[in-house]
Amino acid sequence: MAEYLSCGNIMTDQVLLPDSSRTSIGGPALFALSGIRLFTESCKLVSCAGEDFDESYGAWMRRNGL
């Protein structure tokens, strides 16, 4: 059981440059979760997500211990 829950929206941020683009996970719930994770591993994300969440962000979440 997690000691802290980060609840709220997650979003996909996309930066478009003239010759490239970068897509990353963002949103207030994820930013809060990342901050909590600096101090404890006992935290979880609580948010609505689409069916493609794991495909898009699962590797990042696992890599960062989330």
Side-chain angles (χ1 to χ4, degrees):
M1 178 185 297
E3 189 174 359
Y4 297 97
L5 300 176
S6 177
C7 307
N9 295 329
I10 53 175
M11 300 170 200
T12 299
D13 295 330
Q14 187 173 37
V15 176
L16 301 174
L17 302 170
D19 58 346
S20 65
S21 68
R22 179 179 176 183
T23 301
S24 60
I25 189 170
L30 187 74
F31 295 150
L33 179 67
S34 298
I36 294 167
R37 182 64 176 79
L38 293 172
F39 299 97
T40 181
E41 292 183 8
S42 184
C43 55
K44 297 286 182 193
L45 175 65
V46 179
S47 186
C48 292
E51 291 180 16
D52 62 346
F53 180 84
D54 190 61
E55 178 184 326
S56 299
Y57 303 112
W60 184 90
M61 297 287 284
R62 288 185 287 279
R63 191 171 49 249
N64 289 286
L66 301 165

